[in-house]
Amino acid sequence: QHLDSIAQILNMVSQLTGRWIVEGGNGGAGDLALISAEGVVIFPGDDETELQLASTSSGGNSFVLQSSDGEDLCDVKLITTEDALMLEFAAEEEGSPPEIWRKTVLVEPPSGEAPQAP
């Protein structure tokens, strides 16, 4: 049972795997963030920032952003809409807008159509 709950937590974090574009808040709008299947957050070109996304005990779409030494930095919520996945990072200061990351998606040709050769 304990192994099942660990697997479930890892699966929740693994759904965040991919490239994310920073869109607002106090972060650099347009910056790229990469999230590994283990929840490690990397900013290309920034070798010093080490962050980790971890599932919270409440599970579901709630996560916490942690520093490299395990300190909780802020709460993060996964928001799923019809056409996007977004991460909303709780604002550091009351009244400040949250930072939003939007997941990038590779566009594939419509079903049944073969990609066109140049």
Side-chain angles (χ1 to χ4, degrees), residues 10-76:
L10 287 174
N11 186 41
M12 286 186 280
V13 172
S14 70
Q15 70 182 324
L16 305 178
T17 302
R19 300 178 305 175
W20 296 78
I21 302 292
V22 177
E23 294 186 345
N26 296 326
D31 284 353
L32 181 67
L34 305 174
I35 302 176
S36 74
E38 296 80 28
V40 176
V41 179
I42 299 168
F43 297 96
D46 181 356
D47 296 333
E48 296 185 19
T49 303
E50 294 181 25
L51 300 173
Q52 176 81 34
L53 277 167
S55 295
T56 61
S57 57
S58 60
N61 293 339
S62 297
F63 301 89
V64 63
L65 184 65
Q66 299 175 329
S67 65
S68 59
D69 60 2
E71 177 186 351
D72 290 354
L73 301 175
C74 70
D75 292 329
V76 181

